[in-house]
């Protein structure tokens, strides 16, 4: 199975996925990917490539080949558990709709 | 036989799921099944786009050391750095389709992959930095904004990031021309002469007229392309005319005229022979652009290899300890 950004063995440098925290209080969000020889250079490249306009206060990098993902071919079955369980949402309970603070 | 039948049936299910995504204007993501032609079209378009950004660094890089002030030099460096960044976002997006960067680089060097013809024009004057920003980046933005909604997720996301950064490029170019137009007669003449050279090539950046653009229809059906070449060109011209008035430059087309009935500007024919000549490699700087890219790549080989060797050695040390 291929990882999200895995692109073959011909690259001199491995591929890294970059996650940026745009400001304190927010989580790191995937920004994109890049090539770098090691983790130190990956973080520096990520700073130059993804935060040229102060878009981040913190950077995570992870080797694309280290990411494990759910099986894309099984997306239907894998995510079907919540189907038909509308009672997990507040909107399911209509009787109490007009009651204040509920 | 049974296997072949199953495969066909499976493909039909996959195709139906793909069609459903396109029809509902949803997004296709890297590991989804997609028709081979869709994948190929995207690889071609995204890699060409990436190559254009990277080659596009050269005509402007040409003026970094000769920018007329420290402020202009800093701006130009930031812009060229953005272009490198845009190239990298797009190469990453193309890679999610299963092509590696070395292959894309080889395709650029051998001419198997194209890049935008506009970057094969030379930049003999400082005013060309203004014209590139105003006209070339202006046309690029017009083209790129609808691509933010392209059906392939990674492409759309790369384009969203690019468009956010691109608007500064157009404004800085406009202001270079504005400053020249407020200057001496010689400076005004330089601005006008530059606009004269870049206007038509910029309009041709949208690609051939719709009737001569065989791939457009399929790209639109796949929600990769949202508007036709001619529609985008018209939209761009309609935006340019009032901007040219603010600048005080003349757009070099005697047939350019407001058409009340159409609600658009009419414009004269473009020289498509020139477009195809440049595309075929016979522009002002085709050979020079590719040679320079190859030299930069070759000259950087030892850096890539040394960094890799260092990383490998450190990894071994860590494993040994």
């Amino acid at each position: 199975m291929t990882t999200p950004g895995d692109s073959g063995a011909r690259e001199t440098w491995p591929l890294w996925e970059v996650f940026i925290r745009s400001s304190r209080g927010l989580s790191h969000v995937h920004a994109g990917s890049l090539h770098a020889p090691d983790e130190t250079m990956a973080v520096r490249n990520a700073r130059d490539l993804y935060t040229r306009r102060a878009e981040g206060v913190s950077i995570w990098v992870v080797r694309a080949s280290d990411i494990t993902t759910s099986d894309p071919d099984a997306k239907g079955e894998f995510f079907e558990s919540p189907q038909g369980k509308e009672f997990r949402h507040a909107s399911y309970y209509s009787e109490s709709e007009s009651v204040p603070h509920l | 036989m049974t296997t072949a039948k199953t495969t066909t049936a499976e493909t039909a299910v996959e195709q139906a799921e793909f069609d459903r995504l396109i029809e509902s204007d949803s997004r296709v993501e890297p590991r989804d099944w997609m028709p081979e032609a869709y994948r190929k079209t995207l690889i071609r378009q995204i890699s060409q786009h990436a190559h254009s950004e990277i080659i596009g660094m050269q005509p402007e890089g040409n003026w970094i050391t000769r920018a007329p002030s420290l402020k202009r030099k800093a701006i130009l460096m930031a812009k060229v750095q953005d272009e490198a960044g845009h190239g990298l976002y797009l190469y990453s997006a193309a890679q999610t389709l299963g092509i590696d960067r070395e292959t894309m680089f080889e395709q650029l060097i051998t001419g198997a992959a194209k890049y935008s013809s506009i970057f094969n024009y030379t930049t003999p004057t400082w005013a060309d930095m203004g014209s590139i920003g105003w006209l070339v980046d202006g046309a690029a933005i017009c083209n790129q904004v609808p691509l933010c909604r392209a059906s392939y997720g990674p492409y759309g996301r790369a384009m969203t990031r690019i468009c956010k950064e691109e608007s500064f490029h157009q404004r800085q170019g406009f202001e270079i021309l504005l400053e020249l137009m407020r200057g001496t007669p010689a400076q005004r003449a330089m601005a006008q002469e530059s606009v004269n050279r870049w206007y038509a090539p910029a309009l041709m950046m949208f690609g051939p007229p719709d009737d001569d653009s065989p791939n457009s229809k399929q790209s639109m059906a796949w929600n990769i392309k949202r508007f036709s070449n001619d529609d985008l060109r018209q939209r761009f011209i309609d935006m340019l005319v009032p901007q040219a008035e603010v600048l005080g430059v003349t757009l070099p087309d005697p047939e350019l005229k407001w058409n009340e009935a159409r609600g658009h500007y009419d414009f004269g024919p473009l020289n498509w022979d020139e477009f195809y000549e440049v595309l075929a490699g016979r522009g002002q700087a085709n050979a020079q652009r590719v040679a320079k890219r190859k030299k930069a790549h070759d000259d950087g080989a030892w850096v890539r290899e040394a960094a890799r060797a260092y990383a490998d050695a450190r990894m071994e040390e860590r494993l040994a300890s």
Side-chain angles (χ1 to χ4, degrees):
Chain A
M1 197 195 299
T2 55
T3 51
D6 189 18
S7 60
R10 291 190 68 210
E11 313 287 359
T12 318
W13 290 349
L15 192 70
W16 302 77
E17 297 300 330
V18 179
F19 300 80
I20 308 271
R21 183 201 294 284
S22 56
S23 72
R24 288 180 175 277
L26 298 176
S27 45
H28 289 75
V29 174
H30 185 240
S33 46
L34 52 77
H35 286 96
D38 59 28
E39 62 276 12
T40 312
M41 288 301 289
V43 168
R44 289 191 184 192
N45 286 358
R47 177 201 58 190
D48 292 345
L49 189 55
Y50 291 107
T51 64
R52 289 195 301 283
R53 288 171 177 78
E55 291 96 335
V57 295
S58 168
I59 295 173
W60 287 350
V61 296
V62 58
R63 263 178 208 265
S65 58
D66 286 343
I67 295 176
T68 308
T69 73
S70 54
D71 181 355
D73 298 327
K75 48 186 169 253
E77 307 94 87
F78 194 74
F79 294 108
E80 112 192 312
S81 174
Q83 300 298 320
K85 294 176 186 164
E86 282 78 15
F87 49 81
R88 283 183 168 156
H89 297 276
S91 54
Y92 174 78
Y93 303 90
S94 51
E95 300 279 333
S96 43
E97 203 149 272
S98 55
V99 183
H101 307 300
L102 203 65
Chain B
M1 278 312 273
T2 326
T3 325
K5 244 186 213 160
T6 319
T7 313
T8 320
E10 273 174 13
T11 310
V13 172
E14 304 276 33
Q15 178 77 51
E17 170 65 9
F18 174 84
D19 292 344
R20 192 189 62 78
L21 286 176
I22 298 294
E23 209 167 300
S24 59
D25 202 3
S26 183
R27 297 293 179 265
V28 178
E29 292 295 343
R31 301 195 308 156
D32 290 337
W33 182 91
M34 59 189 90
E36 217 27 53
Y38 177 81
R39 183 186 300 275
K40 272 193 185 145
T41 298
L42 279 167
I43 288 179
R44 183 176 48 84
Q45 179 169 338
I46 301 172
S47 68
Q48 276 183 16
H49 195 159
H51 296 326
S52 302
E53 297 282 356
I54 297 298
I55 295 289
M57 295 165 75
Q58 293 185 34
E60 289 175 293
N62 177 36
W63 277 95
I64 288 178
T65 56
R66 295 176 290 157
S69 66
L70 189 57
K71 176 182 123 180
R72 289 290 168 201
K73 188 191 289 242
I75 291 171
L76 197 54
M77 279 169 59
K79 181 173 189 291
V80 173
Q81 192 191 10
D82 272 355
E83 277 146 16
H86 297 174
L88 293 176
Y89 305 155
L90 288 162
Y91 281 131
S92 295
Q95 282 185 272
T96 63
L97 291 156
I99 185 168
D100 60 71
R101 205 166 294 188
E102 275 299 310
T103 305
M104 286 188 272
F105 173 75
E106 279 163 17
Q107 289 176 343
L108 171 65
I109 295 305
T110 58
K114 303 275 183 217
Y115 54 88
S116 179
S117 280
I118 195 80
F119 301 116
N120 290 317
Y121 290 85
T122 54
T123 47
T125 75
W126 168 251
D128 293 339
M129 298 305 98
S131 295
I132 287 185
W134 178 43
L135 297 171
V136 175
D137 293 318
I141 292 170
C142 223
N143 231 338
Q144 290 171 355
V145 167
L147 289 174
C148 297
R149 294 188 293 126
S151 59
Y152 187 58
Y155 191 28
R157 292 192 284 274
M159 291 316 306
T160 302
R161 195 174 284 276
I162 289 173
C163 286
K164 250 190 229 163
E165 300 181 351
E166 199 83 41
S167 54
F168 122 68
H169 295 187
Q170 193 185 15
R171 283 193 179 197
Q172 66 85 37
F174 185 87
E175 291 192 8
I176 287 175
L177 291 176
L178 196 62
E179 216 164 298
L180 288 171
M181 290 305 289
R182 287 172 181 163
T184 64
Q187 287 171 322
R188 282 200 294 275
M190 182 197 268
Q192 181 64 58
E193 187 275 336
S194 175
V195 169
N196 290 350
R197 274 184 289 114
W198 289 94
Y199 176 72
L203 295 188
M204 290 195 275
M205 284 172 66
F206 296 99
D210 296 343
D211 295 342
D212 302 326
S213 181
N215 298 328
S216 281
K217 225 174 168 184
Q218 180 61 73
S219 282
M220 286 176 80
W222 277 330
N223 291 345
I224 297 173
K225 208 175 155 72
R226 299 283 179 166
F227 301 97
S228 80
N229 295 354
D230 286 331
D231 285 350
L232 289 169
R233 190 166 11 250
Q234 181 71 63
R235 184 182 297 181
F236 182 55
I237 291 171
D238 291 347
M239 289 193 288
L240 275 189
V241 177
Q243 292 171 357
E245 280 164 15
V246 175
L247 282 176
V249 297
T250 308
L251 295 173
D253 177 1
E255 293 178 49
L256 194 62
K257 208 176 85 210
W258 178 251
N259 183 326
E260 191 65 55
R262 287 204 312 129
H264 292 291
Y265 283 91
D266 289 337
F267 55 98
L270 292 161
N271 183 359
W272 291 103
D273 291 341
E274 176 186 313
F275 177 82
Y276 288 112
E277 274 295 292
V278 180
L279 198 64
R282 293 183 287 275
Q284 292 171 342
N286 298 55
Q288 175 191 328
R289 298 281 186 250
V290 173
K292 192 161 185 178
R293 179 70 195 94
K294 182 174 186 310
K295 186 175 183 305
H297 188 75
D298 293 347
D299 288 352
W302 72 271
V303 178
R304 292 192 296 277
E305 282 157 23
R308 179 61 193 260
Y310 176 73
D312 288 349
R314 261 199 346 151
M315 180 67 86
E316 261 172 50
E317 258 171 46
R318 216 182 300 169
L319 290 176
S321 65

